[in-house]
Amino acid sequence: MSSNAPTACAALATRQKNEGSPLVYWFQGAMVRSFLQDEKSGLPTDHWYGADGALVSWPLTRGPEPYGQAFPKTKGRLGAAGPVDVFVRQPDGEPHPLLCAVVCGSDAVAELWLFNPEAGGKATNLETPEELKNLDVRTLSGACEMDDPDRILLFGQAAGMPSAYWMWNPRVNQLAGPMAMPKDFTAPVEAAFLGHDSQPVPHAGKQSRVMRLYQGGGEKAFTVTPADATKDAGAAVFLPQKGAGAFLPTLDAKLAGKKRS
């Protein structure tokens, strides 16, 4: 069990300073930090070379700090204990993808806060869609976009399912589920992020970005694609990716090494 496991996380490349830097935003409760992720190995790294060959240094020991300090304009808006999870979303009218936090609001209804981590966390409260209003946010524990701009997975638990997910398509206001997670998940997913790295998906005939799921202080890597809509609408295919870089174990080892040195 890792003490560095996240409670919320998301991967988003920078758009302003050092454009394209493959960052992963990593919440532990109300504290947050960010790491660079190598786009080929999928591992955390302390440096990255931009398209122009410029070196970007990003120490792994940087942070953590309160999210209201890292993103001043979000102060108090992402919950006293931090968000349920964060995912990447680009609503209509937004020029670039941003982070979207799922927060436990009043009457157990999910609040959605869209924020730009590079602009002091300038935050916009999105109106909770009708399809989410009947979903008790207290049963949710994680969220992550799929490698498809119109699909988001929400993780939690449901009746008869110790670990479940819902597939949400905000563009057409559809929420499917709950559906059971793969059998090796005996408790709800606590956080997840869609990495900057990819792995082959044979049944889809393409590469797909790797989704890392966190539960009980451990990490599991999958590629996640929509199932055949004609057979199982709203379901997802979780394909284990044992060859994907072990992000959390590598982070543990590197941070432990920094402490010893």
Side-chain angles (χ1 to χ4, degrees):
M1 179 177 177
S2 171
S3 61
N4 294 310
T7 56
C9 48
L12 182 66
T14 58
R15 292 286 179 180
Q16 297 174 13
K17 187 177 180 181
N18 302 319
E19 183 177 2
S21 298
L23 290 184
V24 178
Y25 294 91
W26 198 263
F27 285 80
Q28 289 184 293
M31 305 293 284
V32 67
R33 62 202 307 182
S34 55
F35 303 107
L36 281 172
Q37 183 187 29
D38 187 282
E39 297 150 300
K40 292 184 178 179
S41 70
L43 299 176
T45 181
D46 56 8
H47 66 277
W48 176 80
Y49 290 93
D52 59 358
L55 173 65
V56 175
S57 295
W58 204 272
L60 292 172
T61 52
R62 190 174 188 155
E65 58 186 330
Y67 75 77
Q69 184 174 316
F71 317 124
K73 294 176 184 177
T74 66
K75 190 173 183 179
R77 293 176 172 175
L78 306 187
V84 173
D85 208 344
V86 288
F87 59 89
V88 175
R89 187 176 172 195
Q90 186 176 355
D92 292 339
E94 289 290 341
H96 303 296
L98 299 172
L99 295 183
C100 188
V102 180
V103 179
C104 187
S106 60
D107 300 321
V109 174
E111 288 185 2
L112 301 176
W113 285 93
L114 192 72
F115 68 99
N116 183 349
E118 295 184 83
K122 182 181 179 182
T124 302
N125 185 207
L126 302 178
E127 182 177 351
T128 303
E130 286 297 324
E131 64 271 21
L132 296 189
K133 289 183 178 178
N134 293 325
L135 185 61
D136 188 336
V137 71
R138 294 171 297 186
T139 68
L140 297 183
S141 54
C144 187
E145 74 279 9
M146 294 177 66
D147 197 4
D148 175 323
D150 294 335
R151 290 182 173 89
I152 296 159
L153 294 182
L154 305 175
F155 301 100
Q157 57 186 347
M161 299 179 191
S163 187
Y165 71 93
W166 292 256
M167 186 183 290
W168 176 38
N169 186 329
R171 196 167 297 282
V172 294
N173 302 111
Q174 287 182 348
L175 180 69
M179 285 162 276
M181 286 291 291
K183 292 180 180 179
D184 51 346
F185 283 90
T186 57
V189 171
E190 297 163 6
F193 80 92
L194 189 67
H196 297 283
D197 58 323
S198 299
Q199 288 287 319
V201 184
H203 69 268
K206 64 176 184 178
Q207 294 256 330
S208 183
R209 290 170 63 191
V210 176
M211 187 182 294
R212 289 171 175 81
L213 307 178
Y214 298 92
Q215 189 271 316
E219 173 185 281
K220 295 176 181 177
F222 297 83
T223 47
V224 186
T225 53
D228 186 340
T230 61
K231 297 178 181 179
D232 204 356
V237 177
F238 290 80
L239 181 65
Q241 291 289 349
K242 295 182 179 179
F247 189 91
L248 180 59
T250 302
L251 181 64
D252 286 338
K254 289 191 173 187
L255 291 179
K258 297 288 185 183
K259 288 180 180 178
R260 285 195 295 268
S261 62

